[in-house]
Amino acid sequence: MIYRRRVAALAISVISIAACRTARPPEPPAEPAVAPLPAPEAHPAPRVPQQGFVDVEGAGLWYRIEGNGPDTVLVFPAAYLEPFLSLGQDRFTLVRYDPRLRGRSRATTTSPRPTFQSDLRDLEAVADYLDVGRVSLVAFGYDAAVAVAFAAAHPDRVSRLVLLSPLEPRDSLGRSYNPPERSVRLDTARARTLVKLRAAGRDTSDPQGYCRVFWEVNAPLFAAAPERLSPLAPWCEFPAESPANLAGRLASAIESLGKGYDLGPLARRVTSPVLIVAGEKDLVYNPAGAAVWAALLPRGRALLIPGAGHLAFAEAAEAAGSAVARFLGGEWPPGALRPPPSPRE
């Protein structure tokens, strides 16, 4: 049950997510710029309602389409990224999407807890529903790993891939990652108050209020500069984003990968260009994982944002957003590096 302990710990202000540090690799020789994105005629905008649900296996997966640019970009989870990540509606057609049991998506009470494979099937169902041929994917955290699996299974359907603060590609990178900054940044007195609120049932009787308190307490663990998070945790308005539900949902999905998981074989099958964006001070997922992803992915590069934590897309929204937009538009952003392969590769 290592994964359930690892993710569920978020709900009580104690994070136990893992791995070893590696030195930042030297910058490699310059490589050719990313080829321009496909012509608009080849990839028309989705011909479906601007907002709605994709029904699949007892769940309704929420989506909304914005903009009318020539290239379709699927962004998820929408509840987290929508308030902060702006890519330019004139340049792209954005499809914001909430996975199962996340954000505005809906599911019956009998719906099973998601697994990595069921999340992949759901993403495939959304892409099929949009029926636009090729898309670019922008995904955060655990969902970034799902996006890699989709790109590996459907190389002809992915133009670009952006991984924001992604789950480590190997379990070994996560299990032993325990930076001392976690204990330094955690206000233990406030954390005890949060535990008392849970004991009193506030997490279920007032999920939105409890969610806001949770993020007030835990923001220093997720952001290197919490004062830059404005607004703080807007996703608390969605019941599915309550700390208890999110911890259980992610624990179930990560556990399904199996102890000692290794996503390297999937990564090596991805043929599209991939940009990994992570905060140098991420205390949730090992930031060294960004360089490992970049080495594993045949056309991957990693961009570490100085002074940012796990929610780099929010606390450094301008830097992250401009880098992602530049990459989707056909250029590697400055500072995006491809590390040399390790002997293991």
Side-chain angles (χ1 to χ4, degrees):
M1 301 296 289
I2 184 172
Y3 303 107
R4 185 166 299 278
R5 291 196 302 271
R6 174 181 174 186
V7 181
L10 296 176
I12 57 173
S13 302
V14 180
I15 306 177
S16 304
I17 311 182
C20 53
R21 295 180 180 273
T22 61
R24 180 185 294 185
E27 183 171 358
E31 295 181 10
V34 180
L37 291 173
E41 294 77 12
H43 306 291
R47 301 181 184 278
V48 297
Q50 291 296 109
Q51 179 171 312
F53 295 87
V54 179
D55 295 322
V56 53
E57 296 180 3
L61 308 177
W62 180 89
Y63 75 91
R64 182 168 65 215
I65 301 172
E66 303 172 2
N68 56 4
D71 298 288
T72 299
V73 182
L74 187 56
V75 181
F76 61 105
Y80 270 59
L81 299 179
E82 181 178 16
F84 303 102
L85 192 65
S86 176
L87 300 178
Q89 296 182 9
D90 56 333
R91 300 181 61 189
F92 310 105
T93 296
L94 302 182
V95 182
R96 302 187 187 274
Y97 144 66
D98 278 325
R100 185 183 300 244
L101 296 181
R102 297 295 306 273
R104 284 157 283 205
S105 288
R106 58 193 183 194
T108 65
T109 55
T110 58
S111 296
R113 281 287 181 181
T115 65
F116 188 79
Q117 288 301 318
S118 71
D119 283 331
L120 175 57
R121 292 195 300 272
D122 285 355
L123 177 54
E124 290 170 336
V126 172
D128 289 343
Y129 177 79
L130 296 174
D131 191 25
V132 292
R134 291 165 66 90
V135 298
S136 293
L137 302 177
V138 178
F140 164 64
Y142 155 79
D143 291 294
V146 179
V148 169
F150 180 89
H154 307 284
D156 58 329
R157 300 179 66 179
V158 178
S159 300
R160 298 282 184 275
L161 181 58
V162 178
L163 312 181
L164 302 175
S165 302
L167 175 74
E168 301 95 345
R170 296 189 178 113
D171 179 44
S172 59
L173 276 170
R175 276 185 289 112
S176 61
Y177 183 54
N178 188 27
E181 292 90 340
R182 283 182 186 157
S183 58
V184 171
R185 293 180 66 80
L186 180 65
D187 186 331
T188 54
R190 297 195 69 194
R192 286 193 292 270
T193 299
L194 191 62
V195 173
K196 291 178 181 178
L197 290 176
R198 287 188 69 225
R202 287 283 299 279
D203 56 331
T204 54
S205 65
D206 181 16
Q208 289 190 17
Y210 176 82
C211 181
R212 286 191 288 270
V213 175
F214 170 86
W215 282 101
E216 288 172 2
V217 172
N218 284 282
L221 300 177
F222 287 82
E227 65 276 7
R228 295 200 296 248
L229 296 180
S230 180
L232 175 63
W235 46 80
C236 281
E237 69 175 279
F238 307 119
E241 295 300 327
S242 69
N245 181 75
L246 185 57
R249 192 256 191 255
L250 293 179
S252 173
I254 296 175
E255 283 177 5
S256 72
L257 287 170
K259 186 176 181 180
Y261 74 82
D262 182 356
L263 300 178
L266 283 177
R268 294 185 187 95
R269 289 163 48 195
V270 176
T271 58
S272 58
V274 185
L275 175 66
I276 305 99
V277 180
E280 276 189 325
K281 296 184 178 297
D282 194 333
L283 301 181
V284 179
Y285 291 158
N286 190 342
V292 177
W293 274 118
L296 289 167
L297 292 154
R299 302 177 69 187
R301 289 192 183 189
L303 174 64
L304 291 182
I305 298 183
H310 187 59
L311 301 178
F313 65 87
E315 62 173 319
E318 183 175 352
S322 63
V324 172
R326 184 166 183 168
F327 170 70
L328 293 175
E331 299 179 23
W332 291 111
L337 306 179
R338 178 160 182 80
S342 68
R344 179 174 174 177
E345 309 305 334

